[in-house]
Amino acid sequence: TVVAGANFLGMSLREAVVTAQRNDWQITTRGSGYVVKQTVAQQAGKQAIFVYWQPAQPGRLALRRSLPPILAVLLGGIALVILISHMIGKLLSAALRDTLSHLPNRRSLELRIAHETSKSATAELALIDLDGFKRINDNHGHQIGDQTIKYIANLLISHSPPNATVSRLGGDEFAIFVAGSDNKTSLAHAIETFQKALSKPVSVGDVQFHLSATAGIASVGRSKNNSVQELLVKCDRALGVAKAIKR
């Protein structure tokens, strides 16, 4: 409390305001404090008197003190959410990828088929099995076998339609999925060019060998009743027929 002028010396703020009211002096506010002004007319020859009081503001002071740690906690929380989101994204991506070939895995393929067939889109699927792949593993070791899988994955990608999804289902089994294609021979042509490229000797590391593949192709038309299992079963049957013919 600041009291200026003889009339207010020794008074508390409450007493000063009451005195000002009794003398009919002006009482105005300045910010959150009081200004008590003694008019010159009523106190002729005496010094004008001003009282200014700035009350304590514990709420604002507490806010000032607590704002930095609150902001730190909020920023830390945001950073943690971003980190967790990033980790979840990486985990989901890993769950839908084949670790060896880095192609989409079976689960990823099933999700893609389900998404496309739910829109009543036409779709084609090819299942590809490598012939005699076990012999390569037995004769040259699993390291050569793993490199062969990567080679086949890249070969399939290079001979597939631009909008196709190439997947590794496990072991020596691969798949090519095309949705919304109006050209019914596009996938068949891709398989044909892939098999033609595979007819040449395969070189992996210092090893060279011959490899072939068998494929089965199936398609579904525009229908709301299309399902993942329907297409997979049809394609698996076509693959079985193709293997029986080769024998």
Side-chain angles (χ1 to χ4, degrees):
T1 299
V2 179
V3 179
N7 289 351
F8 289 94
L9 288 178
M11 292 186 183
S12 66
L13 177 63
R14 183 186 298 274
E15 291 171 335
V17 171
V18 170
T19 301
Q21 289 173 338
R22 287 176 180 171
N23 289 277
D24 197 24
W25 297 337
Q26 285 182 279
I27 302 176
T28 58
T29 59
R30 181 187 296 166
S32 56
Y34 292 101
V35 175
V36 181
K37 183 178 180 182
Q38 175 186 356
T39 60
V40 177
Q42 291 177 329
Q43 298 290 326
K46 293 186 179 180
Q47 181 183 4
I49 298 169
F50 298 90
V51 176
Y52 178 68
W53 173 63
Q54 180 67 46
Q57 297 176 321
R60 182 175 296 180
L61 182 61
L63 181 61
R64 286 176 184 170
R65 291 177 177 175
S66 60
L67 192 58
I70 289 174
L71 288 176
V73 171
L74 287 175
L75 291 175
I78 292 171
L80 183 60
V81 169
I82 293 173
L83 177 62
I84 292 174
S85 299
H86 179 68
M87 292 176 63
I88 290 174
K90 290 183 68 175
L91 289 173
L92 288 176
S93 178
L96 298 175
R97 289 273 167 185
D98 174 61
T99 56
L100 178 59
S101 66
H102 302 295
L103 294 175
N105 59 17
R106 177 182 288 273
R107 178 56 180 160
S108 180
L109 175 66
E110 290 176 349
L111 290 174
R112 174 79 195 282
I113 295 174
H115 174 72
E116 295 296 339
T117 55
S118 68
K119 300 187 295 186
S120 303
T122 59
E124 290 181 285
L125 177 67
L127 295 181
I128 303 109
D129 267 3
L130 300 180
D131 303 325
F133 179 72
K134 183 177 182 300
R135 184 178 66 252
I136 295 172
N137 270 333
D138 293 342
N139 294 340
H140 304 292
H142 289 283
Q143 185 175 359
I144 296 297
D146 289 348
Q147 292 181 34
T148 302
I149 291 296
K150 295 178 182 178
Y151 171 81
I152 295 297
N154 291 327
L155 196 64
L156 283 170
I157 292 172
S158 64
H159 288 85
S160 296
N163 60 334
T165 298
V166 180
S167 306
R168 184 189 179 209
L169 307 186
D172 59 355
E173 188 175 9
F174 295 82
I176 305 175
F177 176 73
V178 180
S181 175
D182 295 327
N183 182 6
K184 294 183 179 180
T185 63
S186 62
L187 191 52
H189 178 70
I191 294 298
E192 184 180 345
T193 59
F194 163 73
Q195 290 177 324
K196 186 177 181 180
L198 200 58
S199 64
K200 301 174 183 179
V202 177
S203 296
V204 177
D206 297 330
V207 179
Q208 190 176 72
F209 49 86
H210 288 274
L211 192 62
S212 63
T214 304
I217 303 175
S219 63
V220 290
R222 295 182 181 276
S223 172
K224 293 182 179 179
N225 297 322
N226 290 336
S227 68
V228 175
Q229 289 305 316
E230 177 190 1
L231 186 55
L232 287 172
V233 168
K234 288 176 67 174
C235 202
D236 196 54
R237 287 174 182 169
L239 179 61
V241 171
K243 285 183 175 181
I245 293 173
K246 268 195 171 183
R247 296 192 190 102

